[in-house]
Amino acid sequence: MTHIRPWRYHELMRILVDIEGLPWDKAWTITVNTCAYTNHTVLPEALERWPTHLLERLLPRHLEIMYYINHRFLEEVSKKFPGDSDRMRRMSIVEEDGEKKINMAYLCIIGSHAVNGVAAIHSNIIKTDTFRDFYEMYPDRFQNKTNGITPRRWLLLCNPGLSDIIADKIGEDWVTDLYQLQQLKQFADDEQFLRNIMKVKQENKMRLATYIQQEYNVTVNSSSIFDIHVKRIHEYKRQLLNILHVITMYNRIKKNPSIQLVPRTVMIGGKAAPGYHMAKLIIKLVNNVANVINNDPIVGDRLKVVFLENYRVSLAEKIIPAADLSEQISTAGTEASGTGNMKFMLNGALTIGTLDGANVEMTEEMGDENIFIFGMKVDEVEETKRSGYNAQQYYESNSDLHQILDQINNGYFSPEDANLFKDIYNSLVYTDRFMLLKDYEDYIKCQDRVSEAFKNPLEWAKMCVHNIASSGKFSSDRTIKEYARQIWGVEPNEIKLPAPHEGLDSFQDTDKKDEKK
Ligand SMILES: *Cc1c(COP(=O)(O)O)cnc(C)c1O
């Protein structure tokens, strides 16, 4: 998510210079010492560039200040890199190719004493790629602050069953010090504890199964793998790659109706931006694929597909505690951090994922034997782009993939309109910006490893324990402490839970809070 409020730099300068009457240099020092910039994405279409013709009409004085900030900055650049006019052109906040625009991310970097990404891999990409020139100009400004999630909402509140069996073993200090969960590693071979973990998971799955029965009138097999992919719908998050796996499973059953495979319930949920045509088409495809599969008697309870509507925090609180498998399958180098990945890990779901965003650090924390990693690494994605990616080659050379893409293209999942999903077919076969086709084969192999592993419940539960026990780093308490000390220059307050007599309102279910309003 982007939370960029770049106007604060020139607005603070305007207040200090125009209203408070400070000299420019003094105002600038205050501004830079006050501001810090957290980057939340490297996708170029999400980095804001404001057309100057709009600023001229709406904020003429602010635009003047931006031009002067840029003028002073480019003087500094030419002092540090004399004669490097190409660098000056690249670093100007005023972009002159085509419509004249202000690059707001560049303005943020210039006006901040600290710049950070939200996971280690993302902070490195910022330094070596996205803002490389600015890193060379101000190396000391660049930092990393790996995202986190609050253990109060994302374990204590949403998963009381799991919270209780953890507290039975290690007490309750983990609620404000999540690293305490490390102590659970000593119980990773304790069969009774593993059985308790499995029991809680099963209860959570049955509760979600009831919800799905009520909301969607779909009967799911609660002993199947609950394979869950919930997040905003976006091409880079590759919900389509998940659908390619679903159709792969379906085609295997159709080809060999008596095939023994580990049953799955695949749930995909998320909202699309209203103007994002491809994202809405992906939602339509998930629903149509679900319709075909769920109503095919040959399939039975070996495979079910559910699109979860209106994905939001209160629904996440119901879904995540019931997950066996968390899908975190973005193209390496595109997901800044992710936080959904952390919520699932903390609730004892195993992850199938790429080495992207915080998945990289999750893998470091738990060891690669406790996570299902597949696909290209970020350097392989870069190399593939450099040498010219040809998606069609993968379509031509993999017969399963070929069949699936043809089904999507010829109306197998849209008998009422055979052309409905043509845009999806064309986008994958002729462009495939996020390289789904190149990662397809490895993804399928990895999913087959997941199914194999699920056949051994105690081994699976042991991996779940390693996931939970390794999630201490991903507490937002750790993140906020790092921001406080290393960016804001303040000492963090101690975390205090409300005393029982003060009520547990702050830990109440989000839906109940909504009802009260
Ligand atoms: C955590 C959360 C997200 C972020 O999920 P990612 O998988 O990190 O993209 C989005 N929406 C809701 C409702 C969430 O709770």
Side-chain angles (χ1 to χ4, degrees):
M1 306 285 274
T2 45
H3 309 279
I4 307 169
R5 296 289 176 270
W7 36 262
R8 64 186 186 260
Y9 303 90
H10 43 273
E11 173 61 0
L12 184 54
M13 283 302 286
R14 190 188 64 80
I15 291 167
L16 294 175
V17 172
D18 291 359
I19 299 174
E20 300 298 326
L22 263 63
W24 180 273
D25 285 342
K26 193 159 184 195
W28 185 244
T29 302
I30 292 171
T31 297
V32 172
N33 285 333
T34 303
C35 294
Y37 167 45
T38 300
N39 173 272
H40 291 266
T41 175
V42 296
L43 290 188
E45 65 268 36
L47 293 173
E48 290 178 51
R49 293 167 162 90
W50 293 7
T52 53
H53 72 88
L54 287 181
L55 289 164
E56 268 158 23
R57 273 201 306 154
L58 296 170
L59 298 167
R61 176 59 180 153
H62 293 82
L63 181 60
E64 223 167 59
I65 291 170
M66 288 184 222
Y67 282 142
Y68 193 62
I69 291 171
N70 194 45
H71 170 75
R72 296 282 294 247
F73 170 66
L74 291 177
E75 276 180 355
E76 225 184 295
V77 175
S78 77
K79 261 186 221 142
K80 184 151 177 161
F81 301 98
D84 195 342
S85 59
D86 199 48
R87 182 183 294 267
M88 302 256 289
R89 185 193 50 74
R90 291 196 307 266
M91 295 183 79
S92 173
I93 71 166
V94 185
E95 296 187 346
E96 311 248 24
D97 50 335
E99 191 190 14
K100 199 168 161 186
K101 287 175 184 146
I102 305 291
N103 185 314
M104 300 311 276
Y106 291 179
L107 179 62
C108 289
I109 298 172
I110 295 166
S112 296
H113 67 282
V115 177
N116 73 283
V118 290
I121 186 178
H122 167 58
S123 296
N124 282 329
I125 289 169
I126 282 175
K127 291 199 285 190
T128 58
D129 186 21
T130 323
F131 304 131
R132 182 182 178 157
D133 290 325
F134 291 85
Y135 176 60
E136 287 168 5
M137 181 82 192
Y138 302 123
D140 298 339
R141 287 190 189 182
F142 285 74
Q143 300 192 23
N144 172 246
K145 294 288 163 280
T146 298
N147 272 163
I149 54 166
T150 170
R152 271 75 69 189
R153 178 179 301 283
W154 296 113
L155 181 50
L156 182 63
L157 180 151
C158 73
N159 200 341
L162 182 57
S163 297
D164 282 347
I165 61 170
I166 291 172
D168 286 345
K169 288 290 183 202
I170 65 167
E172 295 181 351
D173 289 353
W174 60 268
V175 174
T176 52
D177 176 13
L178 203 62
Y179 282 114
Q180 295 298 324
L181 292 179
Q182 277 177 14
Q183 295 178 60
L184 292 174
K185 283 188 187 157
Q186 59 187 305
F187 306 110
D189 292 307
D190 175 337
E191 194 170 323
Q192 189 54 51
F193 183 61
L194 296 178
R195 294 201 181 280
N196 289 341
I197 291 275
M198 286 156 51
K199 181 164 167 273
V200 167
K201 183 63 78 183
Q202 193 56 39
E203 288 164 1
N204 293 341
K205 287 171 71 176
M206 281 156 62
R207 201 172 308 117
L208 182 58
T210 304
Y211 174 86
I212 290 168
Q213 181 69 251
Q214 283 166 358
E215 292 290 311
Y216 303 109
N217 199 27
V218 176
T219 306
V220 303
N221 172 0
S222 70
S223 58
S224 65
I225 301 176
F226 276 22
D227 172 344
I228 305 191
H229 198 174
V230 284
K231 47 185 75 253
R232 295 301 293 261
I233 308 294
H234 201 293
E235 288 160 285
Y236 85 82
K237 292 176 183 279
R238 301 203 292 191
Q239 283 92 358
L240 280 174
L241 184 58
N242 188 338
I243 299 170
L244 295 180
H245 171 248
V246 169
I247 301 173
T248 302
M249 279 189 75
Y250 177 65
N251 288 344
R252 283 177 183 172
I253 295 170
K254 294 298 273 186
K255 204 175 282 175
N256 177 6
S258 63
I259 193 171
Q260 297 255 349
L261 36 75
V262 181
R264 286 208 191 212
T265 303
V266 179
M267 298 168 229
I268 300 177
K271 289 175 181 173
Y276 191 171
H277 170 250
M278 192 57 75
K280 291 182 164 186
L281 203 53
I282 291 167
I283 293 175
K284 180 66 177 158
L285 179 63
V286 176
N287 279 284
N288 282 23
V289 168
N291 241 320
V292 169
I293 292 178
N294 298 349
N295 295 306
D296 188 331
I298 289 184
V299 174
D301 68 356
R302 286 177 287 185
L303 182 61
K304 284 281 174 283
V305 183
V306 178
F307 182 79
L308 299 164
E309 291 169 19
N310 194 11
Y311 180 59
R312 60 202 188 285
V313 167
S314 57
L315 190 57
E317 289 168 359
K318 293 184 174 60
I319 291 167
I320 292 171
D324 294 308
L325 187 66
S326 159
E327 298 270 353
Q328 307 298 335
I329 61 176
S330 53
T331 319
T334 63
E335 186 75 272
S337 160
T339 55
N341 47 3
M342 303 166 185
K343 299 169 196 168
F344 283 99
M345 180 187 182
L346 181 60
N347 282 277
L350 305 190
T351 297
I352 182 166
T354 47
L355 283 178
D356 196 21
N359 300 353
V360 176
E361 291 155 83
M362 285 164 47
T363 307
E364 283 169 11
E365 293 297 301
M366 72 177 100
D368 60 9
E369 67 280 16
N370 292 303
I371 185 167
F372 297 96
I373 296 293
F374 74 95
M376 283 180 282
K377 324 250 179 302
V378 71
D379 55 317
E380 293 167 301
V381 170
E382 286 310 313
E383 181 49 38
T384 304
K385 277 186 205 159
R386 261 195 300 279
S387 59
Y389 175 56
N390 178 6
Q392 214 167 337
Q393 157 202 338
Y394 297 93
Y395 168 66
E396 299 296 351
S397 63
N398 185 311
S399 58
D400 291 340
L401 186 55
H402 198 295
Q403 182 191 358
I404 294 163
L405 289 164
D406 288 350
Q407 286 168 314
I408 291 172
N409 194 38
N410 68 21
Y412 190 97
F413 299 106
S414 55
E416 73 288 0
D417 175 6
N419 290 321
L420 189 60
F421 299 121
K422 280 232 161 353
D423 287 353
I424 288 180
Y425 173 89
N426 288 330
S427 147
L428 289 179
V429 175
Y430 300 113
T431 314
D432 195 18
R433 181 179 167 203
F434 297 104
M435 301 181 182
L436 284 74
L437 301 201
K438 182 156 182 187
D439 271 344
Y440 169 80
E441 194 175 317
D442 201 27
Y443 180 56
I444 299 299
K445 282 185 186 150
C446 194
Q447 288 285 22
D448 289 342
R449 287 199 287 126
V450 169
S451 292
E452 225 17 68
F454 197 74
K455 290 180 183 172
N456 188 337
L458 278 177
E459 279 302 308
W460 183 278
K462 186 172 167 177
M463 290 169 78
C464 296
V465 170
H466 280 285
N467 271 257
I468 299 165
S470 308
S471 52
K473 176 175 179 181
F474 306 104
S475 171
S476 51
D477 301 337
R478 188 267 313 146
T479 312
I480 293 165
K481 271 183 199 141
E482 290 179 2
Y483 275 98
R485 297 200 169 117
Q486 299 164 19
I487 296 183
W488 306 329
V490 293
E491 261 310 294
N493 278 331
E494 196 189 324
I495 303 153
K496 286 211 191 90
L497 296 176
H501 67 270
E502 293 172 48
L504 284 170
D505 257 17
S506 54
F507 297 117
Q508 214 166 54
D509 186 275
T510 309
D511 275 341
K512 287 187 194 140
K513 267 196 213 168
D514 287 348
E515 281 165 23
K516 281 198 172 176
K517 277 183 200 158

